[in-house]
Amino acid sequence: LLSRLLPILITCLGASLFLQWCLRNWGECLTGWYGNELRLSLFRQTERLDADTLALHHSGYLASLIGQVAGSIGTLSSNMVWLCGHLITTLTLFVYWTSRESISLAIVNLIIFSIFVTISVVLSRKIVPLADEKNTFQALLMERFIDFLVNISTVKKLGIVDWAENKLRDDSRVMDRSIARFQRFHANRWAILHAIFYTSLITTIAFLLYQVEQGLVSPSIFILFIAGFARVQNYAERLSEMIKSLLETNAYVTKLEGILATERRHGDKAVTLVGKIECIHLRHRFGERRQDILIPHFQVSAGERVL
């Protein structure tokens, strides 16, 4: 038995080690390279949008959408392939050994697992709008924060530090409420999915304990089953989170595609371009210089270039 099993074990472990090395050496590089190429491609598509369309969308939100899509797609793709390989192998072995003790028990576990995946998809679809709302408010808050921080000297000179801080605090409160709504739903989703898992676990444990009492199953088999079930649960939880991430990324891709495919808008929704800008009695002083620059009147029209 040892002479037959040992070569198989060494082969499986060697293949697993090689595949994991390939994933970390080439797979993770490919996801980074793909993300960078995707960012450049999306930047080129965004740059082609007309001024009216760009004015309808906050640049911080656009940047956040591009970041979410470019940073997620490559990583999700490689992780999904790797996770599904582990999950299918583990689930197949788990069902096989369970069915050797009881066909009905294996069927019940498969049904419960199917229910788990279905409910996970349904709840993940419902959490996507909350994730998008949180992402939107976060993008707006971060852009405003960066604007104020980069121009902090101007903010101080204008004497609007308190106003700027209040604006950031108001935006933070809106962001906090969005985070709370997202996390509340996420916590409820987590509780529902784990309740399904625990139902399956308790049912199977009760059956196996009965088998152990009747002398039909050894305690060692019972212990191995608990370990195997924990393994399946771990992969299933990761699959649930992967489904949620995939649906979120799909929502971001759909929104981004909608913006990039927008034609030039007309009518009430169009942004009216300013015909001219006129300034009167401007006074400015550079640094510590004593003499002011006086501009009694200045005017620039749309399309005009002035130096």
Side-chain angles (χ1 to χ4, degrees):
L1 181 63
L2 180 62
S3 61
R4 293 199 308 270
L5 289 181
L6 194 58
I8 297 174
L9 180 62
I10 293 174
T11 302
C12 291
L13 290 176
S16 175
L17 182 64
F18 176 72
L19 288 173
Q20 291 188 58
W21 180 85
C22 290
L23 175 67
R24 282 157 178 77
N25 185 59
W26 293 312
E28 293 182 3
C29 286
L30 288 174
T31 57
W33 295 338
Y34 178 71
N36 291 334
E37 285 298 318
L38 190 56
R39 285 186 182 90
L40 292 174
S41 174
L42 292 173
F43 175 80
R44 285 193 294 269
Q45 295 179 59
T46 304
E47 185 270 334
R48 295 191 188 104
L49 295 176
D50 58 77
D52 290 355
T53 302
L54 287 172
L56 292 172
H57 302 285
H58 198 281
S59 59
Y61 182 54
L62 266 175
S64 178
L65 277 179
I66 292 174
Q68 291 279 1
V69 172
S72 300
I73 289 182
T75 304
L76 283 173
S77 300
S78 62
N79 288 346
M80 180 60 77
V81 172
W82 195 252
L83 174 62
C84 286
H86 278 283
L87 177 61
I88 291 172
T89 304
T90 306
L91 189 61
T92 301
L93 291 173
F94 177 78
V95 172
Y96 171 72
W97 286 105
T98 305
S99 62
R100 292 186 61 178
E101 301 298 330
S102 171
I103 296 293
S104 59
L105 183 62
I107 294 174
V108 167
N109 276 302
L110 278 177
I111 292 173
I112 292 178
F113 181 78
S114 301
I115 293 173
F116 171 85
V117 173
T118 302
I119 293 178
S120 177
V121 172
V122 172
L123 294 178
S124 295
R125 289 187 184 280
K126 291 183 178 296
I127 203 175
V128 166
L130 296 175
D132 182 51
E133 177 191 75
K134 180 170 69 72
N135 180 60
T136 302
F137 287 136
Q138 183 177 17
L140 296 174
L141 172 62
M142 290 308 299
E143 178 156 359
R144 193 189 297 275
F145 176 78
I146 291 172
D147 286 344
F148 287 153
L149 192 62
V150 170
N151 300 286
I152 190 66
S153 59
T154 304
V155 170
K156 291 176 66 176
K157 288 178 181 178
L158 292 174
I160 58 172
V161 174
D162 291 340
W163 175 83
E165 186 176 345
N166 289 332
K167 289 294 292 182
L168 290 174
R169 183 174 286 107
D170 291 341
D171 289 348
S172 297
R173 291 194 185 100
V174 175
M175 178 67 188
D176 290 344
R177 288 194 292 270
S178 176
I179 292 173
R181 285 192 293 270
F182 175 82
Q183 290 303 132
R184 189 179 305 113
F185 189 92
H186 182 63
N188 293 335
R189 169 179 167 275
W190 179 90
I192 291 172
L193 294 177
H194 276 72
I196 296 172
F197 254 123
Y198 293 154
T199 300
S200 176
L201 176 62
I202 292 172
T203 302
T204 311
I205 286 177
F207 174 81
L208 287 177
L209 284 175
Y210 173 78
Q211 296 283 77
V212 171
E213 286 183 352
Q214 298 298 315
L216 302 175
V217 174
S218 66
S220 59
I221 294 295
F222 175 74
I223 295 172
L224 287 174
F225 170 82
I226 298 299
F229 192 93
R231 191 76 170 175
V232 172
Q233 179 183 2
N234 177 48
Y235 286 130
E237 287 177 351
R238 289 171 59 186
L239 177 65
S240 173
E241 292 302 312
M242 191 72 68
I243 291 172
K244 179 176 73 70
S245 299
L246 283 171
L247 290 175
E248 285 184 28
T249 303
N250 180 64
Y252 298 144
V253 170
T254 303
K255 280 181 170 290
L256 196 55
E257 285 179 342
I259 294 173
L260 295 177
T262 302
E263 298 181 355
R264 188 176 181 86
R265 297 174 181 266
H266 299 282
D268 295 338
K269 294 183 179 179
V271 177
T272 303
L273 297 179
V274 177
K276 66 178 181 179
I277 296 176
E278 186 174 7
C279 304
I280 301 174
H281 303 313
L282 291 179
R283 180 186 297 268
H284 181 69
R285 176 180 296 183
F286 283 101
E288 300 299 326
R289 296 185 181 181
R290 296 181 178 179
Q291 186 174 0
D292 291 345
I293 295 177
L294 303 177
I295 303 176
H297 179 257
F298 173 78
Q299 178 178 307
V300 59
S301 301
E304 184 180 1
R305 297 186 179 185
V306 178
L307 175 63

